[in-house]
Amino acid sequence: MSFALLFSGQGTQHPAMLPWLADDALVRAMCARLGIDDWRHALAKPEWAERNDNAQTLLTGLALAAWGQLAPLLAPPAAVAGYSVGELAAFSAAGVIDATTAAALAPQRAEAMDRCAAHAPGGLLAVSGVSEQKLEQLRVEAGLELAIRNGNASVILGGPIAALNDAERMAAALGAQCTRLRVNVASHTPWMREAAESFSRTLAQVPFDAPGVVLFSNAGDRIRDARSARIALAAQIARTVRWDECMDNIHARQVRCVLEVGPGQALSRMWNQRFPTVPARACDDFRSAAAIAAWLNSHADP
C-alpha cells in the first residue's frame, strides 16, 4: 500500500465530524483541556466552535485520536502533510513529536496567536474564480497578504478586519467568489510574526526527532531532521501556506491514494481537482475505522 495522509486545518469543524471516532484517552484528555464533557455538544455552539483556542485544541486532539485509532489497521503512510494547524498532528504522525506533546502544543500555539491578534484583530478571506493577476491586484489594493495558496487562482488572503471588508467588496466587483473563514486571526501573514517568535521559544524546550516517514511542511518543503522541523512548525504561523506545493510534492512520491484526517472534505476535494487519477477520500466520508482501512487497502500495491 502507498498512501498519503493529509491533516485538515480549522474552519470546517462541525458536531457530526468523524462519526466513527471512539472516546479514547486522547479524546478525554482533549475534553479535559477544554473544560468540556462532550465535544460534539460544544461544537454545536458556533460562538464556542469558532474561538481560535478552542478550535486549535479540539482539532489537534481529534486528529491525533483519529490517526491513533487508524494506524494499527494500516501500513505506515508514504507521505504526510498538514494544513495550517493540521501540521501539529502531521508532525506527530510522522514521528517528530509524540501525540501527547502535539496535543499540549495546540493551546500554546493558539494562545500565542490570540495575544498577537489582540493588538491587530484580523481574519482570513478565501477568494477564487478570477485570474491570478486579478487576485494579486485585489490583494495589493486591499492591503492584505497571501495567507494560503491552494492553487494559482484559489487563495486565502489575510489581514485586518477593515481590509478584509474592502477586499470582499472589491472581489464582488471583479466577479470573484469569496468566503470569510470562521477564524478570528490573520494566520500565516506578517501580522502573526510575534506569535511565530513566541511559539519558536516554546518549541525550543520540546524534544524533536527526525521524521520517520516523508514529511512536507507548509513553510519549509520536505522536513528531514529535527532542527528543520522545529523551525518550520513555528515559521508557518506567519508565512504563506504553500499548499499547492505540498500537494505537488506528495504527488511526486507516486502515492496510490490519499486520506484526509479531520473535519469535512476540503483537502480531499482540492486533491481530486488537482490530481483526478489519484483518488482522495476524507475520514468524514466513512462510518467506521474498518471502512477507512478497507478503502485504503483496496488501493494496495498489486
Side-chain angles (χ1 to χ4, degrees):
M1 185 195 313
S2 175
F3 71 97
L5 282 180
L6 307 179
F7 287 88
S8 312
Q10 68 193 92
T12 57
Q13 56 269 24
H14 58 95
M17 63 184 279
L18 302 173
W20 50 270
L21 188 68
D23 186 17
D24 64 7
L26 281 170
V27 174
R28 290 191 292 273
M30 175 203 73
C31 288
R33 186 171 279 116
L34 288 166
I36 59 176
D37 296 321
D38 184 333
W39 63 269
R40 295 190 190 277
H41 179 73
L43 272 182
K45 304 171 185 175
E47 67 280 4
W48 187 95
E50 293 174 17
R51 277 184 48 178
N52 188 50
D53 52 349
N54 291 341
Q56 292 200 36
T57 300
L58 181 133
L59 292 176
T60 301
L62 294 181
L64 293 165
W67 177 239
Q69 293 172 31
L70 285 170
L73 307 177
L74 303 167
V80 180
Y83 189 94
S84 188
V85 71
E87 280 206 335
L88 284 172
F91 277 45
S92 177
V96 173
I97 50 179
D98 62 41
T100 301
T101 298
L105 285 172
Q108 295 179 74
R109 181 183 188 271
E111 181 184 6
M113 296 174 73
D114 285 341
R115 282 199 308 269
C116 205
H119 303 297
L124 299 173
L125 179 71
V127 187
S128 62
V130 293
S131 68
E132 188 175 3
Q133 181 180 1
K134 287 185 177 180
L135 283 173
E136 178 61 10
Q137 178 184 350
L138 170 65
R139 182 194 70 77
V140 172
E141 291 183 0
L144 298 173
E145 293 291 339
L146 179 60
I148 301 174
R149 193 178 67 208
N150 294 319
N152 291 339
S154 176
V155 302
I156 294 176
L157 304 177
I161 300 298
L164 291 169
N165 293 337
D166 290 342
E168 283 191 278
R169 289 192 293 270
M170 294 176 189
L174 290 171
Q177 291 88 50
C178 60
T179 304
R180 190 77 68 93
L181 272 62
R182 293 164 54 193
V183 297
N184 51 25
V185 295
S187 310
H188 315 299
T189 72
W191 285 279
M192 285 289 112
R193 187 173 292 117
E194 290 182 11
E197 292 169 355
S198 175
F199 197 53
S200 178
R201 292 190 291 272
T202 297
L203 296 181
Q205 311 303 316
V206 176
F208 272 56
D209 293 316
V213 300
V214 174
L215 174 65
F216 292 107
S217 162
N218 296 172
D221 298 317
R222 183 172 175 181
I223 302 299
R224 298 180 181 275
D225 54 45
R227 179 179 178 276
S228 61
R230 187 179 281 109
I231 291 171
L233 197 56
Q236 62 106 280
I237 291 175
R239 290 188 191 171
T240 301
V241 171
R242 307 192 312 266
W243 189 247
D244 52 354
E245 292 182 19
C246 280
M247 290 190 289
D248 290 345
N249 286 333
I250 289 173
H251 185 258
R253 305 299 300 179
Q254 298 184 323
V255 297
R256 297 177 65 85
C257 61
V258 171
L259 179 68
E260 176 183 359
V261 182
Q265 296 88 12
L267 301 186
S268 54
R269 186 165 53 248
M270 280 191 277
W271 178 277
N272 285 324
Q273 290 171 349
R274 196 172 185 87
F275 305 113
T277 61
V278 180
R281 297 285 301 275
C283 281
D284 259 8
D285 293 338
F286 298 89
R287 303 298 300 178
S288 71
I292 297 172
W295 179 76
L296 288 171
N297 284 322
S298 73
H299 293 278
D301 294 325

